Amino acid sequence: MTTLLKIISTSTILFSYLVCLCCSTITHSDPTILTGLIPSYDENSTPFPDALKCYVCSGPNNSNCMEEVFNAFCPKGKHFCRTEHYFNASSGASVEVRKTCAEHIECSEIRIGCFATTDSNVKKCSTCCDWTWCNPDVPTNASTAIFATKPTLIENSSSNLLVSSTNFLFFMLCTCFIFVQR
């Protein structure tokens, strides 16, 4: 019986050591961004309909962050990819980059854009988007710190046109205008 306990005890210590060893390779990443991610084993299956994949990582700059990207699906309820970029306000040099799966509230209008932080030398720009792998870049100004929606594919008899919702509305208004002119 004591031999069995020694084997179990030794196995537990060995297992704990291996877990610590494996986890130490990702200690620079923010563990909160990993919560709920669903592992991706192949490109042909998804854990649920409309499952989303985002670049999920954390690092001192975009290059370092993207080196540690996790290939996983976002959990249910997280329908957006969010990127937060903290950078030196005068030089533009990155201080920290965080890429996560996000809920709607995290991508609300008041949370998207560029903002001052408590450190007067650091500025924060945040962006969200709603399609798989849509967040490879970091926002650096008001033009790139936006909420981006997935482009819509519209069938045309001569070709396929890829347009955003705004362009589609403009297209419809122009079409109506042409018919009114006739």
Side-chain angles (χ1 to χ4, degrees):
M1 184 72 155
T2 57
T3 307
L4 181 59
L5 289 175
K6 285 181 182 178
I7 291 172
I8 291 172
S9 177
T10 305
S11 299
T12 304
I13 292 169
L14 181 59
F15 178 73
S16 299
Y17 174 75
L18 289 174
V19 167
C20 289
L21 186 63
C22 291
C23 291
S24 69
T25 62
I26 59 168
T27 54
H28 68 281
S29 296
D30 181 354
T32 61
I33 67 173
L34 304 178
T35 306
L37 290 178
I38 303 166
S40 176
Y41 300 107
D42 64 62
E43 295 301 316
N44 297 324
S45 62
T46 60
F48 52 88
D50 298 323
L52 177 69
K53 280 186 176 182
C54 299
Y55 293 105
V56 175
C57 58
S58 180
N61 58 49
N62 199 42
S63 297
N64 287 10
C65 185
M66 294 297 282
E67 287 176 4
E68 301 295 328
V69 165
F70 294 92
N71 184 19
F73 288 98
C74 296
K76 282 187 177 182
K78 300 218 175 187
H79 303 289
F80 306 98
C81 301
R82 178 175 171 82
T83 301
E84 294 178 340
H85 182 212
Y86 295 84
F87 57 96
N88 184 294
S90 36
S91 70
S94 294
V95 174
E96 182 178 11
V97 172
R98 292 182 189 170
K99 298 182 182 210
T100 62
C101 298
E103 296 175 351
H104 185 266
I105 191 76
E106 297 169 277
C107 294
S108 63
E109 190 174 309
I110 61 169
R111 296 186 180 196
I112 301 300
C114 293
F115 310 97
T117 65
T118 54
D119 182 343
S120 62
N121 295 326
V122 177
K123 191 172 183 179
K124 172 188 172 184
C125 288
S126 300
T127 187
C128 285
C129 50
D130 67 354
W131 68 96
T132 291
W133 301 126
C134 63
N135 62 330
D137 301 318
V138 293
T140 56
N141 57 45
S143 298
T144 57
I146 59 171
F147 182 90
T149 58
K150 183 177 182 177
T152 310
L153 185 64
I154 299 174
E155 294 271 329
N156 184 336
S157 58
S158 60
S159 65
N160 287 333
L161 300 174
L162 190 62
V163 294
S164 68
S165 302
T166 306
N167 289 342
F168 178 70
L169 181 59
F170 179 74
F171 171 76
M172 293 303 291
L173 289 172
C174 289
T175 303
C176 291
F177 180 74
I178 292 170
F179 284 117
V180 169
Q181 293 296 320
R182 289 184 181 179

